[in-house]
């Protein structure tokens, strides 16, 4: 843990900004690492957003911006054609930064407090049908039977990846970042370390548990000699690193081709959406799904109820006799 925290602090140091007020941005980024344990990608995004805003308000600098400059900055984003969602994310970064300045006594006001975020639509997450997921899993299992040696090991790895991703609903980064030790116990649950280093327990289906049990001895068949001692459950090319999200995406796309499922719909995150949607469709309560997904706020989980609403509306439109009856 200490080693990982030190590494992330180093990442924060590598993202230092320049110009007036840059030291305040540096302090903010270091706080995100030390107190919130933000991921490297999130840290990079915050640094980029603050750097862009600093260039916009120069020469005044980050520490002296007023609400008029914040609004002008948002208007410039809209003029550049950036989406409302991107504008809202940039404003969120500025709000958190200025709250930090206010809390630390660097300012006595918050110029973002009176600035409203752009209105966002509520996009429905793209998911897969139960039939699509069933076909993907069946195809992954069929690939294991005839294979031998390294091919069998890789087939078992793919089966374990898909089974666990769909059974747990974990984030892709959480799945590929599972340590080998997480799967060595006999409990049918996984301890997952999610955003902000928060831990949660997620139960596994019997099929997912069995897939991991089969994958563990097969690691020696699927991996090179130098990778077999990796501490990761799913190592990457470099034994010190775990499999990348991009590599998992490639494997899933090939599986979709083999299964005859729409390739454009089969993405790692779509299986997480499928997990949540299918649980709710089959009677699970929203609070339990929230806990398993690792959402801090239940409002984030509620997006899946809209998916179900849309499906029910489509069901009525397609199959109800009154919906298809021509008006006289």
């Amino acid at each position: 843990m200490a080693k990982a925290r030190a590494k992330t602090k180093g990442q924060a140091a590598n993202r230092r900004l320049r110009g007036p007020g840059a030291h305040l941005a540096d302090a903010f980024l270091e706080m995100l690492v030390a107190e919130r344990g933000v991921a490297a990608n999130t840290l990079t995004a915050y640094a980029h957003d603050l750097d862009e805003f600093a260039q916009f308000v120069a020469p005044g600098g980050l520490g002296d911006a007023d609400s008029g400059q914040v609004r002008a900055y948002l208007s410039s984003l809209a003029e550049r054609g950036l989406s409302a969602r991107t504008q809202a994310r940039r404003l969120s970064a500025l709000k958190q930064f200025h709250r930090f300045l206010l809390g630390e006594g660097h300012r006595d006001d918050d110029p973002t407090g009176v600035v409203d975020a752009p209105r966002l639509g509520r996009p429905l997450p793209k998911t897969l049908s139960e039939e699509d997921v069933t076909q993907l899993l069946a195809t992954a299992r069929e690939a294991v039977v005839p294979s031998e040696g390294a091919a069998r090991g890789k087939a078992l790895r793919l089966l374990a990846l898909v089974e666990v991703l769909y059974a747990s609903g974990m984030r892709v980064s959480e799945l590929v970042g599972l340590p080998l030790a997480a799967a060595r116990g006999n409990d049918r649950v996984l301890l997952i370390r999610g955003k902000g280093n928060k831990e949660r327990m997620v139960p596994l289906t019997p099929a997912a548990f069995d897939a991991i049990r089969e994958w563990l001895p097969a690691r020696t068949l699927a991996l090179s000699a130098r990778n077999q001692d990796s501490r990761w459950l799913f190592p990457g090319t470099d034994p010190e690193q775990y499999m990348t999200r991009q590599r998992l995406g490639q494997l899933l796309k090939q599986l979709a081709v083999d299964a005859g499922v729409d390739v454009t719909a089969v993405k790692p995150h779509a299986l997480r959406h499928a997990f949540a949607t299918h649980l709710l469709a089959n009677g699970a309560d929203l609070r339990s799904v929230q806990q398993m997904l690792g959402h801090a706020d239940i409002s984030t989980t509620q997006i899946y109820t809209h998916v179900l609403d849309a499906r029910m509306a489509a069901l009525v439109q397609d199959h109800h006799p009154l919906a298809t009856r021509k008006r006289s």
Side-chain angles (χ1 to χ4, degrees):
M1 177 68 72
K3 183 178 179 181
R5 181 60 55 84
K7 180 179 179 182
T8 312
K9 285 185 177 180
Q11 292 170 336
N14 291 334
R15 291 171 173 80
R16 294 188 184 282
L17 284 71
R18 298 179 181 180
H23 65 290
L24 299 175
D26 292 339
F28 172 66
L29 295 175
E30 290 172 1
M31 180 278 293
L32 291 177
V33 174
E35 297 183 14
R36 301 186 190 175
V38 300
N41 289 343
T42 303
L43 200 67
T44 298
Y46 276 116
H48 172 271
D49 294 346
L50 291 177
D51 186 48
E52 186 176 79
F53 183 67
Q55 294 178 40
F56 183 85
V57 299
L62 280 170
D64 298 320
D66 58 34
S67 58
Q69 288 176 305
V70 175
R71 289 193 178 94
Y73 171 65
L74 291 177
S75 296
S76 73
L77 297 181
E79 291 171 359
R80 286 161 49 190
L82 274 66
S83 68
R85 186 163 297 278
T86 299
Q87 295 173 46
R89 185 182 64 78
R90 301 280 177 88
L91 178 59
S92 175
L94 294 180
K95 282 181 176 290
Q96 293 185 61
F97 172 62
H98 284 95
R99 287 170 188 161
F100 166 77
L101 297 184
L102 186 63
E104 294 294 314
H106 296 297
R107 291 189 63 139
D108 56 9
D109 68 324
D110 177 3
T112 67
V114 294
V115 179
D116 294 328
R119 291 184 176 275
L120 300 177
R122 196 175 182 100
L124 298 178
K126 295 181 179 179
T127 187
L128 297 165
S129 68
E130 293 185 40
E131 293 77 12
D132 286 340
V133 176
T134 298
Q135 186 61 34
L136 289 172
L137 291 171
T139 303
R141 291 191 195 98
E142 290 169 2
V144 174
V145 178
S147 57
E148 297 179 359
R152 176 177 174 80
K154 291 179 180 179
L156 286 169
R157 179 184 63 182
L158 178 58
L159 178 60
L161 285 165
V162 180
E163 284 281 11
V164 173
L165 190 56
Y166 180 57
S168 66
M170 68 177 72
R171 298 177 180 90
V172 179
S173 57
E174 295 169 346
L175 172 66
V176 295
L178 281 173
L180 182 59
R184 280 183 167 161
N186 290 321
D187 294 334
R188 293 180 181 268
V189 294
L190 285 178
L191 177 63
I192 301 173
R193 189 178 300 280
K195 289 185 176 180
N197 282 324
K198 293 181 179 179
E199 294 182 339
R200 69 183 190 278
M201 302 293 291
V202 174
L204 292 176
T205 61
F209 180 80
D210 292 342
I212 290 180
R213 295 294 97 189
E214 289 186 85
W215 160 240
L216 289 177
R219 286 175 86 250
T220 56
L221 299 175
L223 304 178
S224 63
R226 73 190 190 106
N227 277 31
Q228 290 173 15
D229 293 330
S230 173
R231 71 187 185 92
W232 305 108
L233 180 59
F234 302 109
T237 305
D238 180 351
E240 295 299 317
Q241 303 294 326
Y242 45 74
M243 177 187 290
T244 64
R245 296 188 299 175
Q246 292 77 11
R247 179 54 180 157
L248 175 55
Q250 292 171 354
L251 293 174
L252 287 179
K253 284 191 177 298
Q254 184 56 56
L255 177 61
V257 172
D258 296 339
V261 176
D262 182 8
V263 176
T264 62
V266 181
K267 298 178 181 179
H269 213 63
L271 282 166
R272 173 173 163 87
H273 293 321
F275 163 83
T277 306
H278 299 170
L279 276 181
L280 290 171
N282 286 281
D285 66 275
L286 198 63
R287 183 68 67 181
S288 297
V289 175
Q290 175 199 356
Q291 293 174 348
M292 287 186 281
L293 290 174
H295 286 160
D297 193 327
I298 198 169
S299 63
T300 307
T301 317
Q302 285 174 333
I303 183 65
Y304 296 106
T305 64
H306 291 266
V307 174
L308 296 178
D309 290 344
R311 285 188 173 186
M312 285 187 283
L315 182 66
V316 171
Q317 184 64 37
D318 293 340
H319 300 288
H320 197 286
L322 294 180
T324 57
R325 181 180 298 172
K326 293 182 179 179
R327 295 183 180 179
S328 55

